[in-house]
Amino acid sequence: MSAGTNIVASDRNFPKHQDLVEEQLVLWYFVAALLFMTVSMLAGTLMGLQLIRHNPLPSIEILSPGRWRMIHTNAIAYGFLANAFLGIMHWVIPRLTLRPCLDRRLSYLIFAAWQFVVLATAVGIIFGQAQGLEWGETPVWIDPVAQLGLLLVAINFGAPILQTRGPMYVTLWYYLAALVWTFLTYAMGNFVPEYFVCGSSAGAVGGLFIHDLVGLFVTPLGWGMMYYFVPILLKRPMWSHGLSLVGFWGLAFFYPLQGIHHFLYTPIPMFLQYGAVLSTIALELVVVTVIINFVGTLYGTGGLVVTNLPLRYFYTGILFYFLTCLQCALQVTMTFQALIHFTDWVVGHAHMVMFGVFSMWQLGVMTYLVPRILKTEWYSAKWCEWHYWASAGGLLVMSGDLILGGLFQGWSWAALQPWDASIRLSIPFWSVRLVAGVVIFAAQILFMLNFYLTWRKAPRTNPVTIPDSSGLTTA
Amino acid sequence: MTVQREPYRTHWLTWFFSAVVLIPTILGFANKFLDLVLVIQGDEDGAFAVTPICNYLFATAGFLCLFVWTATQGAFQNLDGPSHTMMENEHRFDSQP
């Protein structure tokens, strides 16, 4: 029988999990992701210290704050998020398609190549080779390697997806699109402004790139992941698979143009700016369908969010996603944009979406998968709880603080106060941000320690315990 | 696990949101695209905005083709079918020794 997701294979032909999923590689990706997250958060902490005028590394050019900041953003995007997504895809895609990835050796080659790309990017940035585009700072000599790596990723994961027959589950739609979008988005942002266009046109393309990296790389991989794990943990299918397809196609049609909304009030023609505003508002309606679907799926089983830790991560991320999209609907209006442009509101928004949504989801998946793969319960369930509360609480404080601080900055500038005045009023907000950041950082260190100790106590041969869906208790 | 038909309310909701999202947006984009044509005709300097618009139209045209192809392949016939199949397959994976 064909291995389509809509077709149930007979028992005799049904593949074995261990023949499909390269569990060791999933763990390796998680380890790499968490290591890069440490680097990113260390860089973020140093930048936070710089903002309150306590730079711990003064007078060292290669460790200057501007470079640390780029390490912070690149390591979280390409080091943490990308690695974690790749690891999770190695679990999800084979189980959904009932086929392994194209080639096992290629999977390991991609793993090694991706770590090289991220490390080389960090080294290049430290030594001043960054390109002048947010999130596109990757040195020019790494761009072709990264582009080739993304092509290999698309081939390796695309092969089993394209071999499925019949209607696909929505997760595979999201993943298939992300494989294509990420390749195209990376090419657009790293090659078009560098070699083909300049000036305002390059700015417009840069705007598309920055936001498309969130919307066409991170978002589809994130939602694809959620459409897979949430029904499994709730032990019930999505409330409406049809509505989930509305979400997917809505993203496909409306997301690509909205990047320009980062460049409102710039020399880019107003019709293009309004087009971005319009597509952003259209996407808010799409977001509503997604939120309704996940709330509808949870309906009647809400208590599980309290008792099941991975599920709590997922729905916390969904809540933050709703909040960020609500912010988006406000901040793309021209009047509101006039107030918050260039302020820390945007920084708070970015942290809420990248950590509060996507990182929380990935940490939730790790909390669920690590004990399953290692076939033992977590070393400390209490540490897992601490990790959740410190991450969610720290992020709530950090983003709330930055959003509020951004409003004060905007009002200060609107009142034509001197620049120094806005700096002075920002110091308390930046201090609170630093404390919240350190709490989040400490939580991740605790999680990594828990991960290490869990791995160390895992059985080497036959499994002796099987964790339940919360990943915390022994069956 | 038996394959269930999609409830009437979710079927209705799917079409409702599709209409709410698509109709105003198509009208809006058509209007703004007309603005683009006018800018290019009246001001050569404005032509640089063609780059992002072409990127967008290129991507959207690709997805429109994919969408039409998907519809012709019957992907929207039994909308909840893949969801139930996924759950059943997961159950079988988890039942393996």
Side-chain angles (χ1 to χ4, degrees):
Chain A
M1 187 176 284
S2 177
T5 52
N6 64 322
I7 300 170
V8 182
S10 67
D11 282 335
R12 192 165 54 84
N13 292 336
F14 199 78
K16 296 217 172 300
H17 166 81
Q18 55 266 33
D19 296 334
L20 297 179
V21 177
E22 194 67 27
E23 291 188 341
Q24 177 178 258
L25 197 53
V26 178
L27 284 179
W28 283 12
Y29 270 117
F30 287 172
V31 171
L34 291 169
L35 288 175
F36 282 120
M37 177 189 255
T38 311
V39 173
S40 173
M41 289 195 170
L42 179 64
T45 306
L46 290 171
M47 189 62 205
L49 284 165
Q50 158 70 15
L51 285 173
I52 59 166
R53 301 168 185 174
H54 283 84
N55 182 3
L57 303 166
S59 310
I60 306 174
E61 186 185 351
I62 63 168
L63 299 177
S64 57
R67 296 181 191 188
W68 270 117
R69 187 194 163 279
M70 289 188 278
I71 297 283
H72 174 62
T73 52
N74 279 270
I76 210 70
Y78 304 119
F80 174 68
L81 290 171
N83 267 318
F85 275 136
L86 287 168
I88 291 163
M89 288 166 82
H90 270 287
W91 178 280
V92 174
I93 290 178
R95 283 175 72 105
L96 275 178
T97 60
L98 309 184
R99 292 171 187 277
C101 295
L102 181 64
D103 190 279
R104 185 170 173 271
R105 288 164 301 178
L106 181 61
S107 296
Y108 280 92
L109 174 70
I110 290 170
F111 173 80
W114 195 251
Q115 308 322 312
F116 168 77
V117 165
V118 180
L119 279 172
T121 299
V123 172
I125 288 172
I126 285 283
F127 286 96
Q129 296 179 358
Q131 292 182 68
L133 178 66
E134 179 83 27
W135 261 7
E137 293 97 346
T138 325
V140 288
W141 60 274
I142 299 174
D143 285 338
V145 183
Q147 196 71 55
L148 179 64
L150 290 172
L151 180 65
L152 293 178
V153 168
I155 292 170
N156 199 31
F157 286 121
I161 297 176
L162 291 173
Q163 288 176 56
T164 58
R165 296 288 175 268
M168 290 197 299
Y169 186 58
V170 65
T171 295
L172 294 178
W173 276 116
Y174 273 109
Y175 277 180
L176 189 61
L179 293 173
V180 178
W181 280 333
T182 307
F183 180 82
L184 293 176
T185 301
Y186 191 89
M188 176 178 71
N190 286 275
F191 295 105
V192 175
E194 184 72 22
Y195 302 110
F196 300 107
V197 295
C198 57
S200 298
S201 193
V205 173
L208 289 179
F209 168 69
I210 294 167
H211 216 281
D212 285 358
L213 211 56
V214 178
L216 302 181
F217 156 53
V218 179
T219 300
L221 291 179
W223 278 118
M225 186 172 80
M226 284 300 95
Y227 278 113
Y228 174 78
F229 284 103
V230 167
I232 287 173
L233 289 183
L234 286 174
K235 295 184 171 57
R236 53 161 66 173
M238 287 304 298
W239 185 62
S240 167
H241 188 254
L243 205 56
S244 69
L245 291 175
V246 172
F248 168 74
W249 289 104
L251 187 82
F253 286 117
F254 303 133
Y255 210 105
L257 191 59
Q258 48 170 314
I260 305 290
H261 74 212
H262 281 271
F263 290 89
L264 301 183
Y265 294 112
T266 62
I268 294 171
M270 286 313 294
F271 76 85
L272 206 52
Q273 298 184 34
Y274 284 132
V277 172
L278 196 66
S279 67
T280 305
I281 292 169
L283 202 69
E284 302 309 325
L285 296 170
V286 175
V287 166
V288 171
T289 68
V290 175
I291 302 293
I292 286 176
N293 210 356
F294 275 90
V295 173
T297 307
L298 183 67
Y299 185 72
T301 58
L304 281 175
V305 174
V306 179
T307 56
N308 189 306
L309 186 56
L311 207 56
R312 202 188 311 154
Y313 271 104
F314 298 161
Y315 274 88
T316 303
I318 289 170
L319 178 64
F320 279 128
Y321 189 80
F322 177 71
L323 291 176
T324 56
C325 290
L326 196 64
Q327 272 189 300
C328 253
L330 291 173
Q331 66 202 28
V332 295
T333 59
M334 303 297 278
T335 44
F336 202 75
Q337 183 69 208
L339 176 67
I340 56 117
H341 205 86
F342 293 132
T343 71
D344 276 339
W345 168 290
V346 184
V347 185
H349 174 70
H351 278 84
M352 194 189 283
V353 73
M354 297 309 280
F355 188 82
V357 181
F358 299 108
S359 299
M360 290 291 277
W361 285 349
Q362 291 181 330
L363 292 169
V365 171
M366 287 182 195
T367 305
Y368 170 65
L369 282 186
V370 166
R372 279 193 64 140
I373 295 173
L374 293 175
K375 297 177 176 59
T376 181
E377 74 270 32
W378 278 99
Y379 173 79
S380 170
K382 188 177 282 186
W383 287 4
C384 286
E385 288 284 342
W386 275 103
H387 176 229
Y388 167 81
W389 286 110
S391 297
L395 186 274
L396 190 66
V397 172
M398 176 188 278
S399 54
D401 170 73
L402 288 170
I403 288 165
L404 192 61
L407 289 176
F408 277 89
Q409 290 165 354
W411 282 320
S412 168
W413 298 338
L416 302 179
Q417 292 282 309
W419 173 258
D420 283 357
S422 70
I423 297 292
R424 276 198 301 278
L425 73 83
S426 299
I427 294 289
F429 291 103
W430 289 338
S431 303
V432 172
R433 185 263 286 273
L434 180 63
V435 173
V438 169
V439 170
I440 295 173
F441 194 6
Q444 310 319 311
I445 299 291
L446 185 67
F447 183 66
M448 279 186 278
L449 183 62
N450 205 3
F451 189 170
Y452 169 71
L453 293 172
T454 305
W455 200 333
R456 209 173 65 166
K457 81 181 181 72
R460 298 288 175 190
T461 50
N462 293 326
V464 291
T465 54
I466 299 173
D468 70 0
S469 65
S470 72
L472 300 179
T473 57
T474 309
Chain B
M1 186 182 292
T2 57
V3 176
Q4 299 166 353
R5 287 185 64 80
E6 186 183 23
Y8 176 76
R9 71 169 189 283
T10 57
H11 186 75
W12 178 86
L13 209 59
T14 302
W15 285 109
F16 173 76
F17 273 107
S18 301
V20 166
V21 170
L22 283 174
I23 293 171
T25 313
I26 289 172
L27 289 174
F29 274 126
N31 189 32
K32 291 303 160 192
F33 192 74
L34 188 63
D35 280 356
L36 168 71
V37 174
L38 293 175
V39 166
I40 294 171
Q41 285 178 343
D43 177 13
E44 288 185 1
D45 293 337
F48 73 79
V50 166
T51 311
I53 283 286
C54 286
N55 278 348
Y56 172 71
L57 290 178
F58 181 69
T60 307
F63 273 95
L64 187 63
C65 295
L66 186 62
F67 182 75
V68 171
W69 177 81
T70 306
T72 59
Q73 295 299 306
F76 304 116
Q77 295 294 325
N78 177 14
L79 285 176
D80 276 343
S83 188
H84 292 286
T85 306
M86 185 277 276
M87 293 300 292
E88 189 163 341
N89 285 344
E90 280 299 315
H91 179 69
R92 294 168 81 178
F93 272 125
D94 291 342
S95 303
Q96 288 175 349

